[in-house]
Amino acid sequence: MRTPLDLAEAHPDPAFTVTLDGREIEALPGQTVAAALWSAGVTSWRTTRGEGRPRGVFCGIGVCYDCLVTVNDRPNQRACLVPLHPGDAIRTQEGTGHDD
Amino acid sequence: MSKRLTCDVVVVGAGVVGAACAFYAARAGLDVVVVDRGPVSGGTTGAGEGNLLVSDKEPGPELDLALLSGRLWAQLAEEIGEFVEYEAKGGLVVASTPGGLTALGRFAEDQRAAGVVAEPVDGDSLYDLEPHLAPGLPGGVYYPQDCQVMPALAAAHLLRVSGARLLTGRTVTDVLLKRDGTVDGVRTSLGDILAPTVINAAGTWGGELAALAGVALPVLPRRGFVLVTEPLPRLVRHKVYAADYVADVASDSAALQTSPVVEGTAAGPVLIGASRERVGFDRTFSLPVVRALAAGATKLFPFLSDVRAMRSYLGFRPYLPDHLPAIGPDPRVPGLVHACGHEGAGIGLATGTGHLIAQLLGGKTPDLDPAPFRPDRFPDFPDEEGA
């Protein structure tokens, strides 16, 4: 199967481990939270404030604020923009992300 | 493709003022077409906070229009309130010094005489209303008539329920005049729209539309930024602002002015304003302005220092030299009717504006004397931007 890595002829450094709600997933250096979650087969990581509907990446370029996620205890970060580092703890987010 | 349309009224501008004009004109039985070069709420409406305020207005024609508009918004809310996030949240104006509180108290007294509900709030009660305000503030005034809507939704739903025909993505390139000098409609990038009445609801660009009809209307842009935080639980309950804001609104200065205006929204984010600058249509992001907004808001609500600002947006208030809108028929071009120049109050004043214009078009006695809003009240006004 051709992957984006083949298409871009990318040779990233070795993968590292981050966690999603405590579960370990792999991420490549330079990958955003959204890219790593997609690679792990996760497409939704937030529920909306009003009706609890599932949300993940919509625009993918930092404009729409739909992909908000909690990273290292900081809520409401755009998954499509935040690059991952080894050991980062991603948490799915409900409501405002402030435990209301 | 060029297509010719005929109707009773063409409204130029699909912002909230144009939408309200379309709504009330259509309810009065007129066949209305709304045309805009961009999308619905694509100009100043979409860059606003959605305030329906009486608190920041001194007694006079603008306050009278705000009170009328507030009553009309409340009626509309029964029909579309839920869709437009209508919230009768109330406004709280906060003084920072005892002297400021005295001045604010006098201002509120004059407003009460003009029909505003303005309740003095002492230092203790302040924190019952807004528990997260900075400690040690001497007091303020509470204005239960201040309300909020989500402005882009307000324009869209007003247009929807108006039943008016909506044509977006069409630029008005000329105002068509008959041989006798009366209005015959507009020329657009996609054909002519014929009508005996053209309503100029082009907001900050209202001067350009007036010029197409051959008349001067000195609408100028007054830039403002809004800073948007991450979504939060309801920590700010009212629209809260510092007493200095009122002076800034009424000021004629071109230089940057900021005074903190803080409010929670139904959707979660807290909106932080307000800045005023006359810099033309410059859309460049300004870190100094946004920094000043953040500093002012944090002084009022210290918890905001731990909250992330997610983004900011900016818009251009349509500003006329005497801070009053232009509302009503233009005696210089029969058939041309203006509804623009509401500065930072257009969302709030939209309903009263549309209602008055529908009354004037129908030959009825308007609920308010429109004389202070006469569009031809600026004879040969010099070009301020060049000054």
Side-chain angles (χ1 to χ4, degrees), chain B residues 248-263:
Chain B
D248 278 5
V249 171
S251 153
D252 289 320
S253 169
L256 169 68
Q257 297 157 301
T258 62
S259 46
V261 178
V262 182
E263 59 202 311

Side-chain angles (χ1 to χ4, degrees), chain A residues 49 63 65 68 74-76 78 93 95-100, chain B residues 230-234 266-269 306-308 310-312:
Chain A
R49 303 187 280 283
V63 175
Y65 293 83
L68 300 179
R74 224 180 87 188
N76 296 314
R78 284 167 283 176
Q93 182 176 317
T96 65
H98 288 275
D99 297 327
D100 53 319
Chain B
E230 59 180 306
L232 297 169
R234 207 61 189 260
D306 295 326
V307 167
R308 299 271 151 193
M310 290 207 307
R311 63 193 175 94
S312 76

